């Protein structure tokens, strides 16, 4: 009877172990894994919520920074014309005469427009700047070479005149030599004009007025300079 009782006990024990293994493998372990996944997911969500809360708390500061950046972009682009045409190059030459600068232009060489940079329409639209029409912003340049004769002091005044131009221009090269015959400076000055297309601005034609410089024409000779 004792052996039968021990056999029944061990059989029951083995059965319990088997049942325990089955429960662990097919019930406990899967649910434990799902529970851990939920814990990890909740931790990620909690981290994301904290990140969003921090962002929301700083939202007024971000809006101020964005407004300041938009204003800076508007102010910067306001100095660029929509286009640069031949009359703009001539206008700059005549402006030097209006300021009383003695310079005789022998030629004005106007180059073609060259693209410097482009901002895609999708980026422009995403900037939130509704004043732009939502097309590509294209930054261009145009090189103009002024060949002329002048004096040393008038050359300095000419450079100042160009640098004081209200629109975006830059002197990119100055090359002059002294003419021993009449003691005048002969040479060229390269001026690069910059423009931006896509801001919604329109080209403003130049208005030319009468000028008096004492020269018979725009392209003066060395004799007329004396």
């Amino acid at each position: 009877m004792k052996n039968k009782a021990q056999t029944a006990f061990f059989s029951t024990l083995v059965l319990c172990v088997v049942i325990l293994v089955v429960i662990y493998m097919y019930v406990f372990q899967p649910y434990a894994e799902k529970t851990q996944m939920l814990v990890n997911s909740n931790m990620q969500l909690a981290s994301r919520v904290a990140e969003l809360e921090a962002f929301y708390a700083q939202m007024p500061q971000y809006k101020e920074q964005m407004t300041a950046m938009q204003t800076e972009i508007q102010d910067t682009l306001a100095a660029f014309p929509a286009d640069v045409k031949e009359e703009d190059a001539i206008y700059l030459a005549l402006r030097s005469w209006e300021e009383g600068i003695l310079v005789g232009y022998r030629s004005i060489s106007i180059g073609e427009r060259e693209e410097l940079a482009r901002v895609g329409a999708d980026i422009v639209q995403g900037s939130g700047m509704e004043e732009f029409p939502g097309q590509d912003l294209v930054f261009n340049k145009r090189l103009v070479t002024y060949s002329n004769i002048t004096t040393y002091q008038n050359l300095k005044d000419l450079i100042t005149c160009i640098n004081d131009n209200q629109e975006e221009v830059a002197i990119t090269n100055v090359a002059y030599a002294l003419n021993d015959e009449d003691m005048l400076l002969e040479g060229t000055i390269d001026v690069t004009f910059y423009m931006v297309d896509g801001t919604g601005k329109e080209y403003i034609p130049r208005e030319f007025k009468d000028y008096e410089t004492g020269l018979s024409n725009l392209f003066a000779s060395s004799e007329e300079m004396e």
Side-chain angles (χ1 to χ4, degrees):
M1 295 293 293
K2 187 176 181 179
N3 290 336
K4 289 183 179 181
Q6 290 179 344
T7 301
F9 173 77
F10 283 116
S11 297
T12 303
L13 181 62
V14 171
L15 180 60
C16 291
V17 171
V18 171
I19 293 173
L20 181 63
V21 170
V22 170
I23 292 174
Y24 177 80
M25 293 182 58
Y26 295 99
V27 178
F28 177 79
Q29 190 173 18
Y31 275 96
E33 292 176 354
K34 290 181 179 180
T35 301
Q36 187 60 45
M37 289 175 61
L38 288 173
V39 170
N40 295 337
S41 177
N42 289 336
M43 291 177 61
Q44 293 177 357
L45 290 174
S47 176
R48 180 59 176 164
V49 168
E51 181 182 347
L52 292 175
E53 287 178 345
F55 179 83
Y56 183 79
Q58 296 180 350
M59 182 70 75
Q61 180 182 350
Y62 292 147
K63 287 184 176 180
E64 290 180 4
Q65 292 176 349
M66 290 175 62
T67 300
M69 291 176 64
Q70 290 175 345
T71 301
E72 183 178 356
I73 292 172
Q74 292 171 351
D75 294 342
T76 300
L77 293 180
F80 291 89
D83 194 11
V84 173
K85 298 186 178 182
E86 286 73 10
E87 50 262 42
D88 296 293
I90 297 174
Y91 183 87
L92 184 59
L94 294 178
R95 182 184 164 202
S96 64
W97 285 0
E98 292 174 0
E99 296 188 11
I101 301 172
L102 188 61
V103 54
Y105 295 96
R106 294 192 165 177
S107 67
I108 299 177
S109 176
I110 305 173
E112 298 295 330
R113 297 169 184 81
E114 298 180 33
E115 183 175 322
L116 290 173
R118 179 183 294 265
V119 179
D122 55 336
I123 298 178
V124 176
Q125 293 173 351
S127 68
M129 302 182 69
E130 297 179 355
E131 62 273 21
F132 292 156
Q135 61 191 57
D136 288 3
L137 283 178
V138 184
F139 296 80
N140 296 313
K141 70 175 182 178
R142 197 169 191 184
L143 179 64
V144 178
T145 299
Y146 297 90
S147 177
N148 57 74
I149 54 175
T150 187
T151 65
Y152 176 72
Q153 182 58 50
N154 281 280
L155 176 58
K156 292 200 300 182
D157 294 339
L158 177 61
I159 292 174
T160 300
C161 171
I162 295 173
N163 286 331
D164 289 344
N165 193 66
Q166 294 182 353
E167 294 177 341
E168 289 298 320
V169 300
I171 297 174
T172 48
N173 187 54
V174 177
Y176 282 85
L178 181 64
N179 188 326
D180 295 331
E181 184 178 346
D182 49 27
M183 301 304 294
L184 293 174
L185 292 175
E186 263 185 87
T188 59
I189 182 167
D190 292 340
V191 179
T192 301
F193 290 73
Y194 297 94
M195 68 207 88
V196 180
D197 183 30
T199 62
K201 293 173 60 175
E202 295 183 359
Y203 174 76
I204 301 176
R206 294 291 185 178
E207 294 183 2
F208 292 91
K209 55 186 178 182
D210 296 335
Y211 60 91
E212 294 182 4
T213 64
L215 300 177
S216 59
N217 57 67
L218 180 64
F219 303 104
S221 64
S222 59
E223 290 79 9
E224 290 174 315
M225 290 287 297
E226 295 176 349

